[in-house]
Amino acid sequence: MQNVTKILIPRQLFMMLILSTGLLNHVILIPNLLNAAGRDSWLGVLIAYPIALFFLWLVYFITKNCSDKGFFSMVEKRFGKVVSAIISLPVVLYLFLSAYVTFRDLMIWLNAYFLADASVTMINFIMILVCCVVTLGGIKYMAISSGFLLPLVMIFGIFIAITNTSIKDPSLLFPLFSEGYTPVIEAIIYSLSGLLEIYLIVLLQPYSQSPIKFRHLFILLTLLMGLILGPLTAAIMEFGPVESANFRYPAYEQWRVLNIGDYISHMDFFALYQWLSGAIIRIGLFIYLAAAFFTKKKKHYKLNTILVIGIYLIFFGVMWMEIETFYFYEFIYRYFLPACMAFFLFQILISALLILVMRKREDSHGKQNTPGL
């Protein structure tokens, strides 16, 4: 990630993150929140928000004090390759694992609802081919594509929220704490696993043409929180806390119950557009960011073609491994999401600490070089 070309304005970076992290918060996170906390899950999201704001300030502190080449390039220059590798390796692992979870979850959903009779191998091949093309296109074209895809995704989201208003019962959101405080604490953990993915802005910052401001990050975090809270409360109000927890995809079920009058229904193909837009950008972006750690090509935002194709061939091989759907979802619920929260907490704190040490060193060096001291 050295000497990359600055090709994007902050707004384009944020649109990519809203699409990619929004899919995590909107699709993967919500059923786990409902399983963990049921009716109290939405309260956990609200409590997690101010906690995430504190870590957002740390992320801003990191980006503000980074050089133009980015945080990881600066760490390598100041602390050496060993320290850089230690702090980069968990990020690379997270990017690959998160891309895998997103892809397998998408395959399960497509196979269950839309392509039950189609060959799984064929679906895997087509989707991996599309994601590979997106990654090879580079971050510039991913950002431009996000600018076209995101407005429709948001319009469809607002559309389903408004049209299902008549079947929502707000009283189902209460009473709270009926199961004690433990479910709320678990909901906070799961919420933070999605909200703190805003740390990825540290990886995208080297591509930004202008400095990233705190208000940009604040708006982004608030939107990501809304992407959890909106469909989560809607699912509880429409289906109740028990029934919504039984759904694997509560956000999608809201499309299935949509009816406009007596003659308009079955509009869930709009959900297909939302899911695919978010998943393709998320997988393409994550593989791009992970592969960027292994490329030394300078002053170019595109990656080595052989490297990208090699990664996707491995990805295709991994998808051949048969894993029972039940165990896959158990893995996400019990290990992946809690580990994500721990990873982001650690990564943000250690990154901020390294920035602080670098600033102290610069201040100390400046005083030593000041005449008369």
Side-chain angles (χ1 to χ4, degrees):
M1 297 182 67
Q2 296 181 354
N3 298 330
V4 293
T5 308
K6 295 184 175 299
I7 49 173
L8 302 173
I9 57 176
R11 185 170 61 249
Q12 291 175 307
L13 296 177
F14 296 150
M15 284 193 288
M16 275 195 304
L17 274 183
I18 291 171
L19 266 178
S20 62
T21 305
L23 181 85
L24 170 73
N25 292 355
H26 205 79
V27 176
I28 299 174
L29 205 55
I30 288 177
N32 294 285
L33 271 167
L34 287 166
N35 279 332
R39 193 197 313 270
D40 293 340
S41 54
W42 67 274
L43 181 63
V45 178
L46 290 178
I47 297 174
Y49 180 63
I51 300 172
L53 274 178
F54 169 72
F55 285 95
L56 179 77
W57 178 79
L58 290 179
V59 170
Y60 172 67
F61 173 75
I62 296 165
T63 57
K64 184 183 178 183
N65 290 283
C66 278
S67 67
D68 289 344
K69 296 175 184 176
F71 172 74
F72 291 93
S73 177
M74 195 167 71
V75 168
E76 183 176 337
K77 184 178 178 183
R78 303 288 181 86
F79 294 97
K81 292 185 177 179
V82 175
V83 175
S84 176
I86 291 172
I87 198 169
S88 302
L89 185 61
V91 179
V92 174
L93 288 176
Y94 170 78
L95 291 169
F96 279 127
L97 190 56
S98 191
Y100 165 75
V101 166
T102 303
F103 195 88
R104 186 167 283 278
D105 190 65
L106 176 69
M107 288 301 104
I108 294 171
W109 179 70
L110 282 175
N111 192 250
Y113 289 98
F114 293 97
L115 301 169
D117 297 326
S119 163
V120 174
T121 304
M122 184 192 71
I123 304 171
N124 281 342
F125 176 75
I126 292 173
M127 289 303 302
I128 284 178
L129 186 63
V130 172
C131 293
C132 184
V133 170
V134 169
T135 303
L136 285 173
I139 199 164
K140 179 180 179 182
Y141 295 105
M142 272 187 266
I144 294 171
S145 303
S146 300
F148 286 102
L149 294 171
L150 183 62
L152 277 177
V153 170
M154 295 184 74
I155 288 171
F156 292 151
I158 295 169
F159 170 74
I160 188 66
I162 293 174
T163 48
N164 276 353
T165 302
S166 60
I167 59 173
K168 292 176 183 174
D169 181 2
S171 67
L172 293 174
L173 296 172
F174 303 96
L176 296 171
F177 297 111
S178 57
E179 302 292 331
Y181 294 97
T182 304
V184 178
I185 295 171
E186 291 182 5
I188 293 171
I189 292 172
Y190 284 98
S191 301
L192 288 176
S193 69
L195 294 175
L196 295 185
E197 200 175 83
I198 201 168
Y199 175 76
L200 296 183
I201 202 72
V202 174
L203 303 183
L204 295 171
Q205 185 244 347
Y207 303 97
S208 177
Q209 291 177 340
S210 55
I212 295 169
K213 298 180 180 178
F214 183 78
R215 69 170 184 274
H216 296 150
L217 296 176
F218 176 77
I219 293 171
L220 177 62
L221 182 71
T222 305
L223 284 172
L224 294 178
M225 189 272 290
L227 285 173
I228 306 175
L229 196 62
L232 178 64
T233 52
I236 296 173
M237 287 189 288
E238 289 175 25
F239 308 114
V242 177
E243 190 62 27
S244 57
N246 291 330
F247 291 134
R248 178 56 221 169
Y249 303 100
Y252 174 66
E253 297 299 334
Q254 292 168 41
W255 280 101
R256 299 186 77 188
V257 298
L258 170 65
N259 280 296
I260 303 176
D262 295 329
Y263 304 106
I264 301 177
S265 61
H266 298 294
M267 301 179 73
D268 50 339
F269 55 89
F270 286 136
L272 191 63
Y273 174 86
Q274 291 179 308
W275 254 252
L276 288 178
S277 300
I280 290 171
I281 292 296
R282 182 176 176 83
I283 296 164
L285 177 64
F286 279 22
I287 296 295
Y288 179 92
L289 292 175
F293 279 96
F294 301 99
T295 182
K296 296 296 181 185
K297 198 170 185 177
K298 297 182 178 179
K299 295 184 178 180
H300 205 288
Y301 59 87
K302 289 191 177 181
L303 301 173
N304 184 293
T305 305
I306 297 174
L307 173 68
V308 173
I309 292 176
I311 290 173
Y312 274 102
L313 284 175
I314 296 171
F315 212 67
F316 187 70
V318 171
M319 289 305 296
W320 269 87
M321 296 170 60
E322 288 192 11
I323 299 175
E324 288 289 335
T325 304
F326 171 78
Y327 294 116
F328 174 68
Y329 289 140
E330 279 291 293
F331 164 74
I332 294 175
Y333 178 73
R334 296 192 182 281
Y335 305 108
F336 178 69
L337 292 175
C340 285
M341 188 216 64
F343 159 72
F344 282 121
L345 288 181
F346 173 79
Q347 199 69 24
I348 292 172
L349 289 173
I350 197 69
S351 300
L353 182 63
L354 287 174
I355 290 287
L356 200 60
V357 170
M358 282 186 265
R359 287 186 60 180
K360 291 286 184 185
R361 281 185 178 181
E362 288 174 359
D363 291 344
S364 175
H365 185 70
K367 286 179 181 176
Q368 287 176 0
N369 291 335
T370 303
L373 290 178

